[in-house]
Amino acid sequence: MLPDTRRDLAGTAHPYLRAATAGLRHHTRETAGGAPGPVDRPHLDVLHAHLTALHRLVDQLAEHTHPERPAAARHLAAAHTRLWQAADSVHAAFHLLPAAFGDGACRPERLPEGPPVLTICQRHLAAVHAIRRKTTAADLAS
């Protein structure tokens, strides 16, 4: 029997990836267990946090892979763009759900509900700045 190298790599190369994977498994089991009902803003906030973290991770992997394996880096760059598109869609869905208070619009000067340190809008704006430095609008639209 071969050793499970995926488990070893996840623990050494990216120590937080194992915890994030466990969190995703927990949420997946929670929603698959029965009729979870409609999604709410806190769940979309957590999902957005996972997507933006994956976005940063894939970006770093693409940067480190490009010098040695340009073809593999192009695939990682495509995944990077798709993760951004997913995060952008989750952010839009977040604002279409009813807010606990106010109109729920994305206004950085008026924080939406949630922890004041890392709200979905602040996280999304940080991701926007990061993606705009490396990706064109045409790439994002395709």
Side-chain angles (χ1 to χ4, degrees), residues 40-42 94-105 110-114:
D40 58 359
R41 283 181 153 211
F94 176 89
H95 287 293
L96 291 175
L97 293 176
F101 65 90
D103 62 359
R110 280 184 34 220
L111 297 177
E113 70 272 20

Side-chain angles (χ1 to χ4, degrees), residues 38-50:
V39 70
D40 58 359
R41 283 181 153 211
H43 281 101
L44 287 184
D45 188 19
V46 170
L47 180 59
H48 187 269
H50 283 296

Side-chain angles (χ1 to χ4, degrees), residues 14 57-69 73 76:
H14 304 285
L57 176 62
V58 170
D59 183 39
Q60 290 172 353
L61 292 174
E63 280 184 16
H64 294 298
T65 303
H66 184 68
E68 294 179 25
R69 308 268 190 246
L76 289 172

Side-chain angles (χ1 to χ4, degrees), residues 1-17:
M1 178 158 44
L2 295 173
D4 189 359
T5 56
R6 292 176 301 174
R7 185 174 300 164
D8 296 336
L9 289 174
T12 58
H14 304 285
Y16 299 110
L17 194 55

Side-chain angles (χ1 to χ4, degrees), residues 29-37:
R29 275 193 306 267
E30 192 175 278
T31 57

Side-chain angles (χ1 to χ4, degrees), residues 55 78 80-90 131 139-142:
H55 181 259
H80 177 258
T81 301
R82 287 181 181 87
L83 280 168
W84 164 252
Q85 291 166 336
D88 193 41
S89 294
V90 168
I131 191 101
D139 289 338
L140 294 177
S142 66

